[in-house]
Amino acid sequence: MEELMKRMSESLQKGKAKDVKAMVQEAIDGGYSAQKILNEGLLSGMEVIGAKFKANEIYVPDVLIAARAMKAGTDLLRPLLVSEGVEAIGTVIIGTVKGDLHDIGKNLVTMMMEGKGLEVIDLGTDVPAEKFIETAIEKKAKIIACSALLTTTMGEMKSIVDAAVQAGIRDQVTIMVGGAPVTDNFAKSIGADIYQPDAATAAEAAASVALGKSA
Ligand code: B1M
């Protein structure tokens, strides 16, 4: 199985979506946990892609085809990561902020939150601040979750906090932020309520808020 994880990671790096999908299925059939497949097969491959992209060893199209392979794998894992038949404990509005098209991390956060029994309304990528607020009001959601992957777009999170104040709902919603460039200090500086570094802790914090515990 370690060998299978290694091959999965390598195929993801080469953008071989069909192979990745087949290997994820093989690992599921072999009894591997979804979490292990995600971490050791898929995310480990995406880490290598990130490092090579940073070093200019590969370019945007290479990253895109790797991301497509990642999606082929995570689509199969989704039902395993999300527990079935659980009544929603609360509603979360999630999206990647305006100007930002990265959605792999946001999709993982969504899956993990769904796995905690939350109803998650995913607004997608490049989402203007007003859209987060309008949807939160419309769906009576208590949690707004924003993802940003670019230093140039993380400032949009402050626009979301400001828009919540302007709409008069700031005290009714918990605003969560995350994504690679985001930090706890940044979250505090823009007046957001919660920063979490990864999908699993983000889901735990959201569930705590929904259940009325302190996150
Ligand atoms: Co982009 N990109 N990209 N890219 N890309 C980064 C982010 C970058 C760090 C690469 C680099 O230079 N090393 C860099 C940003 C630099 C910076 O801002 N300082 C970068 C750049 C520059 C760009 C472009 C500008 C490149 C260009 O066009 N010249 C461009 C911008 C486009 C845009 O958004 N407007 C761009 C484009 C792309 C692709 C479209 C090719 C593709 C995205 C495909 C997709 O998402 N569908 C892409 C990718 C894939 C990456 C890297 C390689 C991988 C990102 C990823 O998916 N990681 C990335 C390098 C890297 O991160 N190492 C990079 C895996 C994912 C699981 O992690 O999203 O961090 P992440 O999510 C984590 C946590 O952050 C957290 O949970 C997840 C894990 O548990 N998390 C949250 C995320 N959201 C959360 C919310 C929460 C809580 C936790 O609460 C609400």
Side-chain angles (χ1 to χ4, degrees):
M1 275 294 183
E2 297 306 324
E3 173 59 28
L4 177 60
M5 292 300 134
K6 194 165 164 253
R7 280 194 288 125
M8 194 187 294
S9 165
E10 285 166 0
S11 294
L12 183 143
Q13 291 165 48
K14 290 178 191 149
K16 295 186 171 173
K18 266 190 192 163
D19 293 353
V20 169
K21 195 173 175 186
M23 284 180 222
V24 169
Q25 190 59 57
E26 192 184 332
I28 294 170
D29 295 343
Y32 253 44
S33 75
Q35 196 66 55
K36 197 170 167 73
I37 300 168
L38 179 65
N39 290 334
E40 295 178 19
L42 302 178
L43 284 177
S44 70
M46 196 43 96
E47 242 170 64
V48 177
I49 288 291
K52 286 188 175 169
F53 188 37
K54 191 173 183 182
N56 290 323
E57 287 171 28
I58 58 169
Y59 301 99
V60 171
D62 308 296
V63 182
L64 266 180
I65 58 163
R68 198 178 54 196
M70 170 98 189
K71 185 168 185 312
T74 49
D75 280 351
L76 277 181
L77 293 180
R78 176 181 280 269
L80 302 173
L81 290 167
V82 174
S83 60
E84 293 151 19
V86 185
E87 199 179 320
I89 57 170
T91 304
V92 180
I93 309 300
I94 197 167
T96 305
V97 300
K98 189 173 163 189
D100 200 323
L101 301 174
H102 295 86
D103 67 356
I104 297 171
K106 186 259 304 159
N107 294 344
L108 282 177
V109 174
T110 300
M111 278 185 223
M112 299 283 182
M113 285 183 174
E114 287 174 346
K116 287 276 176 193
L118 289 150
E119 180 195 7
V120 186
I121 297 170
D122 185 352
L123 300 177
T125 59
D126 190 18
V127 182
E130 301 71 32
K131 182 77 185 162
F132 280 96
I133 305 305
E134 276 165 25
T135 318
I137 294 170
E138 186 195 327
K139 302 287 178 187
K140 298 187 173 59
K142 291 207 175 75
I143 304 169
I144 294 177
C146 331
S147 181
L149 262 286
L150 299 171
T151 46
T152 49
T153 59
M154 59 198 272
E156 271 299 314
M157 291 172 161
K158 171 137 177 26
S159 306
I160 295 164
V161 174
D162 292 346
V165 173
Q166 269 203 331
I169 61 159
R170 184 64 191 95
D171 57 346
Q172 294 154 42
V173 288
T174 296
I175 301 182
M176 296 182 59
V177 294
V182 181
T183 61
D184 199 29
N185 276 343
F186 173 76
K188 287 193 177 97
S189 76
I190 61 165
D193 300 301
I194 299 175
Y195 158 75
Q196 289 296 340
D198 59 59
T201 56
E204 274 162 28
S208 295
V209 171
L211 294 169
K213 300 176 193 161
S214 58

